[in-house]
Amino acid sequence: MAQDLVIGIDVGGQTTKCGIVDARGTVLAQTVIRSDNHEEVTPFIAELAEALNRIIAEAKAEGRIRGIGVGAPNGNYYTGTIESAPNLKWGHNRVEFAKLLSEQMNGIPVSLTNDANAAAVGEMTYGAARGMKNFIMITLGTGVGSGIVINGEVVYGHDGFAGELGHTCAVRHNGRQCGCGKHGCLETYCSAIGVARTAREWLEMSDEPSELRSLDKITSKDVYDAAKDGDQLALKIFDFTGRILGEKLADFIEFSAPEAIVLFGGLARSKEFLTEPILKAMNENVLPLWRDKVKLVYSQLKESDAAILGASALAWEL
Amino acid sequence: MAQDLVIGIDVGGQTTKCGIVDARGTVLAQTVIRSDNHEEVTPFIAELAEALNRIIAEAKAEGRIRGIGVGAPNGNYYTGTIESAPNLKWGHNRVEFAKLLSEQMNGIPVSLTNDANAAAVGEMTYGAARGMKNFIMITLGTGVGSGIVINGEVVYGHDGFAGELGHTCAVRHNGRQCGCGKHGCLETYCSAIGVARTAREWLEMSDEPSELRSLDKITSKDVYDAAKDGDQLALKIFDFTGRILGEKLADFIEFSAPEAIVLFGGLARSKEFLTEPILKAMNENVLPLWRDKVKLVYSQLKESDAAILGASALAWEL
């Protein structure tokens, strides 16, 4: 039988999403398991393989799976390992994820990379970056991730970990403490958590009226809702966030001269408030030769399927 | 006869250096012509072709030239053009340099890129980056240029102009005015001109004693000589310069995860004073996973031949 299908797996701290995908990017069957039910990787892989076999049967896809693509935090494309992933319960050391999963799945080849790189491959295969050879994917989620594509290839670098643009420095002096141990990282300002932090800091530092004051615990979604209501403070928070992101995008453009920047992730849903300040700061800070030339586009993948599609796209290259 | 030789041409604002190079990187014959004797490109190319034919005859290399590689400011690899190069007298518009030169040289193929990319190819072919697939070349000259190599290929980007790391932002607020029109560019601090500027600013802002005070017009070479003499202010200037460069190198590492950073150019000769502050800032500012792992190396090309060698290396790829 033709091997006309692939499997995409998105490993997150809490849940792992899996799906069977055809060449057009249709998700034929999918399932979700908990990532945090096991302290060790071996029983987790066993449960994952069981789940995969279940959806393979459901989609009548026995013998048709060409490969498995996995997006996982700290995933190394070259070695197929997950290395020191603090938010995976079983990921503290070096885990031979691709090898273990392939063994459990009767030798189906497994390709693995980090979630942002997987998203970039997904966007190139099925989404907003179709036909593009040079673009930078920025994932604005809980953190800020990135996948860099140059000449049609994801950049993995010397060691397999390239593309950590969320940890480039956005604020050099008195920058916010980042989970990585550094200060001032882009992700401390331009992630969902960063936006909520800006809101808390600004509410504390000023008396400016805002509907956000009535909330107990503020999320980036609350800031979005307030901005929708015309709340001035919320609007200023998006201006600030967009400006910091735009300033750094200018640096990234000067590195690899991409055709486009593709934004993806929960915070990218606030595009109505982010696009203008991002573009303004990006174009003000980039060399004249790229001014108003680099496109800013948003992911076109269906949100619920995006993680699976991104990971699955890796498997076509196997 | 075997086409066993190449020509390298380094086009600068004042002079254009040309040489015939063999596969081992030996310069068999070379010459220099003025770049600024002509207002238009056509007579310049005619004079250049004449000079090339002269050294070809001198090296008995008739029929043996496989290709010509050119490094030039604002050189575009994809199109072979030089575009809006303000410091070339005949370079204000779009100049079809590769095509014109090839026509004048009886159809010998010509490859062209900017000087920093040429330097990177040279280092990869003959120098410190031999055998490396992922590295970033930073040229510390009058300005700061860069050539980025990923997977063994120079990064040209979507439009052919990638790798302008000298114009990424080093100082976000109240940064120095750069020739490009922006403020705070890396090159305004970490070039030869930047070092001299730091010296002038610091001498003006403080009363600190320094042998630099006795000089009329300060160059980076003067600062180097003073540092050699143990001049405290001069040493602090190199600390400052190295720190700013190291901070930005950390960002670049997070982009492409190179095996090494290769430094090249006049200012790199001050390595005895730059290496320590660069490494310190680079390792303090990079993600833990790259800390103390990325090498900092200096160009190994013989200074007088380096520009020619860099450009000539391009021609082997033709």
Side-chain angles (χ1 to χ4, degrees):
Chain A
M1 203 177 295
Q3 293 192 317
D4 58 346
L5 302 174
V6 291
I7 286 176
I9 301 176
D10 177 63
V11 181
Q14 290 165 350
T15 61
T16 293
K17 295 173 194 139
C18 326
I20 298 180
V21 181
D22 71 13
R24 291 190 176 168
T26 312
V27 180
L28 305 180
Q30 56 180 304
T31 187
V32 179
I33 66 169
R34 301 282 317 172
S35 307
D36 55 2
N37 268 349
H38 303 281
E39 301 286 333
E40 296 297 327
V41 70
T42 315
F44 171 72
I45 296 264
E47 194 184 329
L48 177 58
E50 213 178 279
L52 295 182
N53 286 324
R54 209 161 53 233
I55 55 173
I56 288 172
E58 190 188 316
K60 302 196 194 322
E62 289 92 349
R64 292 169 61 191
I65 306 297
R66 178 151 152 180
I68 300 174
V70 182
N74 291 22
N76 187 320
Y77 179 76
Y78 293 141
T79 57
T81 53
I82 295 175
E83 301 182 27
S84 315
N87 58 341
L88 294 176
K89 221 172 170 179
W90 38 263
H92 291 278
N93 296 314
R94 191 170 188 272
V95 171
E96 305 253 20
F97 198 92
K99 185 169 163 278
L100 292 169
L101 182 60
S102 180
E103 281 168 9
Q104 284 290 311
M105 293 302 293
N106 301 316
I108 296 178
V110 175
S111 188
L112 177 146
T113 188
N114 76 38
D115 24 8
N117 286 341
V121 180
E123 215 63 47
M124 187 162 50
T125 313
Y126 311 115
R130 239 197 291 199
M132 286 189 196
K133 294 259 173 219
N134 292 278
F135 69 95
I136 298 176
M137 174 99 183
I138 305 280
T139 61
L140 303 169
T142 322
V144 172
S146 63
I148 300 157
V149 173
I150 290 177
N151 271 337
E153 309 260 354
V154 173
V155 174
Y156 295 110
H158 178 56
D159 55 10
F161 291 118
E164 285 289 355
L165 300 183
H167 296 281
T168 58
C169 181
V171 176
R172 184 67 63 191
H173 302 289
N174 297 313
R176 291 176 182 167
Q177 170 79 51
C178 182
C180 74
K182 303 200 298 167
H183 288 83
C185 293
L186 181 59
E187 115 166 0
T188 65
Y189 295 88
C190 299
S191 60
I193 287 174
V195 166
R197 194 161 161 183
T198 304
R200 284 196 307 275
E201 281 183 15
W202 289 17
L203 286 169
E204 211 163 283
M205 276 167 21
S206 85
D207 290 331
E208 192 170 336
S210 164
E211 67 177 66
L212 294 167
R213 291 202 183 275
S214 62
L215 300 171
D216 227 23
K217 195 177 163 299
I218 297 169
T219 66
S220 62
K221 175 72 167 54
D222 297 324
V223 182
Y224 173 78
D225 290 340
K228 274 279 209 194
D229 294 341
D231 188 279
Q232 288 302 307
L233 189 79
L235 289 168
K236 275 191 260 177
I237 290 169
F238 280 116
D239 271 355
F240 171 80
T241 308
R243 177 173 61 74
I244 289 188
L245 182 55
E247 285 170 354
K248 291 305 290 181
L249 292 180
D251 266 18
F252 306 157
I253 291 168
E254 280 154 0
F255 198 104
S256 69
E259 178 177 355
I261 305 286
V262 183
L263 299 182
F264 175 89
L267 192 59
R269 268 173 284 175
S270 304
K271 63 180 163 186
E272 58 194 290
F273 306 116
L274 282 172
T275 303
E276 209 182 290
I278 290 173
L279 280 177
K280 184 164 182 288
M282 181 174 112
N283 285 313
E284 276 174 7
N285 284 278
V286 84
L287 275 179
L289 85 101
W290 289 300
R291 205 158 283 158
D292 299 319
K293 286 194 185 143
V294 180
K295 292 172 238 170
L296 181 72
V297 299
Y298 289 84
S299 168
Q300 284 174 5
L301 298 184
K302 205 177 124 195
E303 193 110 17
S304 57
D305 294 345
I308 289 170
L309 285 179
S312 79
L314 268 185
W316 292 114
E317 295 176 1
L318 279 164
Chain B
M1 202 176 296
Q3 294 193 314
D4 57 347
L5 303 174
V6 291
I7 286 178
I9 301 176
D10 178 62
V11 180
Q14 289 164 352
T15 60
T16 293
K17 296 174 193 139
C18 328
I20 297 179
V21 181
D22 71 14
R24 291 190 176 168
T26 311
V27 179
L28 305 180
Q30 56 181 303
T31 189
V32 179
I33 65 168
R34 301 284 315 172
S35 308
D36 53 4
N37 268 348
H38 304 280
E39 300 287 331
E40 294 299 326
V41 70
T42 315
F44 172 72
I45 296 264
E47 193 184 329
L48 177 59
E50 212 178 279
L52 296 181
N53 286 323
R54 210 162 50 232
I55 56 173
I56 288 172
E58 190 187 316
K60 304 198 193 321
E62 289 92 348
R64 292 169 62 193
I65 305 297
R66 178 153 153 179
I68 299 174
V70 182
N74 292 23
N76 187 322
Y77 179 77
Y78 294 141
T79 57
T81 53
I82 297 174
E83 301 181 27
S84 316
N87 58 342
L88 294 176
K89 221 171 170 181
W90 37 264
H92 290 278
N93 296 313
R94 191 168 187 272
V95 171
E96 304 253 23
F97 198 93
K99 184 167 162 278
L100 291 170
L101 183 60
S102 181
E103 281 167 9
Q104 283 290 313
M105 294 300 295
N106 301 316
I108 297 177
V110 175
S111 188
L112 178 147
T113 188
N114 76 37
D115 26 6
N117 286 340
V121 179
E123 216 62 49
M124 185 163 53
T125 312
Y126 311 114
R130 242 200 288 203
M132 287 190 195
K133 295 258 174 219
N134 292 278
F135 69 95
I136 298 176
M137 174 98 183
I138 306 280
T139 61
L140 303 169
T142 323
V144 173
S146 63
I148 302 157
V149 173
I150 290 176
N151 271 337
E153 310 258 355
V154 174
V155 174
Y156 295 109
H158 177 56
D159 55 10
F161 291 117
E164 285 290 353
L165 300 183
H167 295 282
T168 58
C169 181
V171 175
R172 183 68 63 192
H173 301 290
N174 298 315
R176 291 177 182 167
Q177 170 80 50
C178 182
C180 75
K182 305 200 295 165
H183 287 82
C185 292
L186 179 60
E187 118 166 356
T188 65
Y189 295 89
C190 299
S191 61
I193 287 175
V195 166
R197 192 160 162 183
T198 304
R200 283 196 307 274
E201 282 182 14
W202 289 16
L203 286 169
E204 210 163 286
M205 278 167 20
S206 86
D207 291 330
E208 192 169 337
S210 164
E211 67 177 67
L212 294 168
R213 291 200 182 276
S214 62
L215 300 172
D216 227 24
K217 194 177 164 298
I218 297 170
T219 66
S220 63
K221 174 72 166 53
D222 297 325
V223 183
Y224 173 77
D225 290 339
K228 272 281 209 193
D229 293 343
D231 187 278
Q232 288 303 305
L233 189 78
L235 290 167
K236 274 190 259 175
I237 290 168
F238 280 115
D239 271 356
F240 171 80
T241 308
R243 176 172 62 71
I244 289 188
L245 182 55
E247 286 170 354
K248 289 305 291 182
L249 292 179
D251 266 19
F252 305 156
I253 292 168
E254 281 155 358
F255 197 104
S256 69
E259 177 177 356
I261 305 285
V262 183
L263 298 182
F264 176 88
L267 193 59
R269 269 174 282 175
S270 305
K271 62 180 165 186
E272 59 194 291
F273 305 116
L274 282 172
T275 303
E276 209 182 291
I278 291 173
L279 280 176
K280 184 166 183 286
M282 182 174 110
N283 285 312
E284 277 173 8
N285 284 279
V286 83
L287 277 178
L289 84 102
W290 290 299
R291 205 159 283 161
D292 300 319
K293 285 194 186 145
V294 180
K295 291 173 240 169
L296 182 72
V297 300
Y298 289 85
S299 169
Q300 284 174 5
L301 298 184
K302 204 176 124 197
E303 193 111 16
S304 57
D305 295 345
I308 289 170
L309 284 178
S312 79
L314 270 185
W316 293 115
E317 296 175 0
L318 280 164

